[in-house]
Amino acid sequence: MYAISTRKSVILRICLACLLACWLLPNHVQAGDPLQLKIDGVDGDVLANVQAALTFPPGLVKDDVVDQRWLQRYVRQVPDMARRALEPFGFYAAEIRTDLVSVESGMQRLTVAIEPGPPVRLSLVRIVVEGPGAEVVRRKGWVENFPLKQGEVLHQGLYEAGKAALKRGVQDQGFLDAHYETHEIRIDVEGATAEIDLLLRTGSLYRFGNVSFTGAEQYPEPFLRRYLDFNAGDVFSYASLGQTQLNLLDADRFEEIRLLPDRSAEVGQQIPVTVELTPGPTKRLRPGIGYGTDTGARLSLTFDHLNMFHRGHALNLLLNLSQVRQSVGAAYILPDTANLHDATELRAGYEREDNDTFTTEKLTAEVERLRDFGRGRKGALCVQLFQEKYTIGEETDTARMIVPGVRYSRRRYRDLVRPRKGHQYELEVRGGHQWLGSDTGLVQVLASGNLLLPLPGRLTLFSRVQGAYTVQNEPLREIPASLRFFAGGDQSVRGYAYQSLGPEDDEGEVIGGKHQLVGSMELERALGEKWGLALFYDVGNAFNDFNAMDLKQGAGLGIRRYTPVGPVRLDLARQFGVADPGYRIHLSIGFGW
């Protein structure tokens, strides 16, 4: 029996060896090289590690000429180097033979034949945790989850990884002084057995102390504390420090962020933290352009003030201009002091839309309370007041509505430029009544969702559905245009013009409906990282009676170009199920609004 004192460098050596092996062929160098290496008897990760260990040293071959004296010295060293490469995988009794021959004029081949022998198996795995954190380790089950068990082959890479994970886990629970008092592998080569002996002392539990901010005095301290992922007195965790830094980065208000825990200033196992911030500009002006067959050419201009009255409040001004729709709006955002993602928004705006189906002008004022539930889930309570003048068909009218509502949504897409997988859905219930000051009474339920699934062969399947249902206490003509439903266009049923589908009046003019149902399936084949080819099918319409929905259909081909400022979509769609089907091109450049 003899003992091997393990070091952290063992696993580093294994990882480095595997990386170097990626530059070599599985068993030999390229055929045209003057010196070739062939390894027999092992495969997989073991082969890769041996290949990396036996990589020819620089200078052994120079200008296609082999230094023969150096080569002989290298060959004598090969058995020891190969044995060391086998040991991390449990092979300590390997037999290694070398054979250096000339294969043709000016070329030599070194063959290394390996008989690894029986692997060393673990006869004992003893892991002991002592100290105040021992109960935490037991509760987490970390000892039971150690990657090596009694009876298994000794693998030093797994040993080092498991040992590091156990220590890191204990430290992440606030036991910063955790250390191994004993860490040994005892190997009996003749008996092909090994014992692991680990003794981890956790040390004392540390907590967060006072948190101070420097460099961002223009922001009030309660506003800055919203971004902390911990409070004074919480168990100290480097993961919480990392999440705090991410929160501050996502705020898009600071150019530099440094979190500095000071263990030298700890008092009673409480570690103070200093957050050093360098604020960025608080006023920003951002232009944007785009195009869509629904809206025509469009231009947007956004102004943001991120620190109104030095309270951390935000002011957002937005101007949108297109051939079909124009709008101007303002939003004042009051962040919640208790929750990072909660806020209250006050909004006001003016919208005008003139398409082939209707014309509307609308003044709005709205208050909304936003609540974040985590994991992409958001909720909102809102009340909107609007005055609208509209023309649909041959009718022109005005309406005043006070519409309270509730919304809930969830979004799970990681890559917003070109997502590969994810889903999103949104539910909303809204309504108004004469008792509340509205000109008409109604309740509407709206739902939408989409799903993106990866498929073999660089294919993705994208499906979407949206629906709406209305109950009202007055005729349809009393419902303003913005609360009626239409279908058709780039984001609805392709093959039909924007907002061109819905119930019609006696003159054949589309006047919108109480309900809506639209669905789509799209199969896309990736062409490189930035292009895609799509095949799609859309179906849907707006209607007043579920027994007479008259769903319209469209299908076609599309090309996609993905850019950092938004996707470019070009679709050619054909109508189906009509007496005289037609074709329509749909083009969308940039994010829509």
Side-chain angles (χ1 to χ4, degrees), residues 45 96 132 236 251 464:
D45 292 339
I96 300 170
F236 188 93
R464 60 179 169 86

Side-chain angles (χ1 to χ4, degrees), residues 549-565:
M549 290 191 292
D550 188 23
L551 299 179
K552 303 297 185 182
Q553 303 176 67
L557 294 170
I559 297 176
R560 307 288 181 260
R561 174 70 162 89
Y562 295 92
T563 72
V565 296

Side-chain angles (χ1 to χ4, degrees), residues 399-581:
R400 183 182 71 248
M401 297 291 295
I402 299 177
V403 184
V406 58
R407 304 184 185 110
Y408 179 82
S409 64
R410 186 175 189 183
R411 182 184 183 93
R412 295 300 298 273
Y413 285 108
R414 293 186 177 180
D415 185 351
L416 298 182
V417 175
R418 188 173 187 177
R420 309 287 184 180
K421 181 180 180 181
H423 67 271
Q424 175 182 342
Y425 62 83
E426 182 172 350
L427 303 172
E428 179 178 358
V429 179
R430 66 189 184 192
H433 198 275
Q434 291 86 344
W435 291 350
L436 298 176
S438 298
D439 286 346
T440 188
L442 55 79
V443 174
Q444 294 183 322
V445 179
L446 298 87
S448 63
N450 55 58
L451 176 66
L452 184 64
L453 292 175
L455 299 176
R458 303 196 69 194
L459 294 170
T460 55
L461 179 65
F462 178 73
S463 60
R464 60 179 169 86
V465 63
Q466 60 189 70
Y469 180 80
T470 304
V471 177
Q472 82 276 16
N473 59 13
E474 290 190 343
L476 178 67
R477 63 176 179 270
E478 301 297 330
I479 300 179
S482 62
L483 296 181
R484 300 190 198 184
F485 298 101
F486 304 84
D490 301 347
Q491 306 299 320
S492 182
V493 183
R494 284 164 286 190
Y496 295 86
Y498 174 64
Q499 304 284 58
S500 64
L501 298 178
E504 301 175 352
D505 61 12
D506 295 337
E507 303 298 325
E509 298 286 342
V510 175
I511 59 173
K514 300 189 298 181
H515 318 304
Q516 182 193 59
L517 184 61
V518 173
S520 176
M521 298 288 287
E522 184 170 308
L523 185 66
E524 181 179 329
R525 172 63 161 83
L527 303 175
E529 290 298 319
K530 298 181 179 180
W531 291 89
L533 182 65
L535 177 67
F536 61 85
Y537 169 76
D538 298 340
V539 60
N541 207 341
F543 48 92
N544 292 322
D545 189 342
F546 280 91
N547 294 321
M549 290 191 292
D550 188 23
L551 299 179
K552 303 297 185 182
Q553 303 176 67
L557 294 170
I559 297 176
R560 307 288 181 260
R561 174 70 162 89
Y562 295 92
T563 72
V565 296
V568 179
R569 297 184 177 92
L570 177 63
D571 295 324
L572 176 63
R574 181 185 186 274
Q575 301 169 2
F576 283 89
V578 296
D580 187 17

Side-chain angles (χ1 to χ4, degrees), residues 12-24 48-49 52:
L12 180 61
R13 186 171 69 246
I14 295 172
C15 295
L16 180 61
C18 292
L19 287 173
L20 290 173
C22 294
W23 296 93
L24 302 172
N49 208 44

Side-chain angles (χ1 to χ4, degrees), residues 150-194:
Q150 184 174 332
E152 295 180 346
V153 173
L154 171 63
H155 190 302
Q156 290 192 25
L158 293 178
Y159 166 77
E160 292 290 346
K163 188 176 70 168
L166 176 58
K167 180 179 176 181
R168 184 172 57 250
V170 173
Q171 290 176 335
D172 285 344
Q173 294 297 311
F175 300 93
L176 305 183
D177 295 331
H179 66 282
Y180 285 102
E181 191 168 284
T182 301
H183 51 105
E184 287 186 342
I185 301 177
R186 294 186 293 272
I187 298 175
D188 180 358
V189 175
E190 293 182 359
T193 61

